[in-house]
């Protein structure tokens, strides 16, 4: 690198991203503001244990997330170690979603334990913009079942 070049900063966002909705888009757009590049790690179905497993296959969720304009690269999560892609991407910041179950302090401690120099931020909420708007995959599924089930 010459003296006139600046290093590219990378942010990582992560999630299940099943049935993509405006809340996801808000999260990814906000995460992109933290760095020059946004890398997104899409959780593998087998690793989703804190809620119902995703409806869509892993590769399809990664493909849809990768099509969002603010996402520079979408990755599938590692089969057994969630920190492997983070070690490979080497981000300067991890941006957690507004309502993700992870606690910033726990993630920061795990990063430090592994020697990963990266700060942890939390995205803000997306305000609803109209009556009936849904910002949760679970709520979308429930509405489909109510109206079409």
């Amino acid at each position: 690198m010459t003296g006139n070049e600046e290093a590219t900063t990378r942010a990582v966002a992560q999630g299940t991203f099943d049935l993509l909705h405006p809340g996801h888009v808000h999260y990814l757009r906000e995460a992109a503001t933290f760095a020059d590049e946004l890398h997104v790690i899409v959780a593998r179905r087998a690793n989703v244990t804190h809620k119902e497993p995703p409806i869509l296959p892993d590769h399809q969720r990664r493909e849809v997330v990768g099509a969002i304009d603010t996402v520079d690269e979408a990755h599938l999560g590692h089969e057994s170690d969630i920190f492997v892609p983070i070690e490979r991407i080497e981000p300067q910041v991890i941006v957690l979603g507004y309502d993700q179950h992870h606690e910033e302090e726990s993630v920061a401690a795990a990063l430090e334990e592994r020697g990963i120099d990266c700060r942890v931020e939390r995205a803000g909420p997306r305000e609803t913009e109209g009556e009936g708007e849904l910002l949760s995959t679970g709520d979308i599924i429930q509405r489909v079942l109510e109206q079409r089930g």
Side-chain angles (χ1 to χ4, degrees):
M1 203 180 330
T2 67
N4 295 338
E5 297 174 352
E6 291 185 31
T8 300
T9 59
R10 287 176 297 282
V12 163
Q14 58 82 35
T16 306
F17 302 104
D18 195 26
L19 304 179
L20 208 62
H21 55 71
H24 290 132
V25 174
H26 168 79
Y27 166 41
L28 297 176
R29 286 184 175 157
E30 187 169 331
T33 67
F34 284 88
D36 301 317
E37 291 180 4
L38 176 61
H39 292 253
V40 180
I41 300 170
V42 177
R44 289 181 183 270
R45 185 178 210 276
N47 295 340
V48 178
T49 59
H50 62 286
K51 60 183 177 181
E52 293 296 319
I55 302 294
L56 299 175
D58 297 348
H59 72 278
Q60 188 174 358
R61 290 180 290 113
R62 187 204 51 78
E63 181 179 342
V64 171
V65 167
I68 296 174
D69 59 351
T70 57
V71 175
D72 291 290
E73 191 169 342
H75 313 260
L76 279 179
H78 190 267
E79 294 85 354
S80 60
D81 185 341
I82 64 170
F83 291 100
V84 167
I86 293 169
E87 290 172 334
R88 183 174 41 79
I89 297 165
E90 298 181 331
Q92 286 69 42
V93 60
I94 293 175
V95 184
L96 301 175
Y98 168 71
D99 62 354
Q100 284 181 331
H101 69 285
H102 305 290
E103 294 180 16
E104 293 97 323
E105 297 81 15
S106 298
V107 173
L111 291 166
E112 185 176 343
E113 185 176 301
R114 292 183 75 125
I116 301 170
D117 183 20
C118 179
R119 75 182 194 277
V120 179
E121 300 283 347
R122 171 97 43 197
R126 179 188 186 276
E127 300 301 321
T128 57
E129 295 181 2
E131 187 177 327
E133 183 174 72
L134 301 173
L135 300 176
S136 157
T137 298
D139 291 347
I140 293 169
I141 291 170
Q142 187 60 42
R143 171 98 36 101
V144 169
L145 292 173
E146 288 169 2
Q147 293 185 2
R148 308 243 171 99

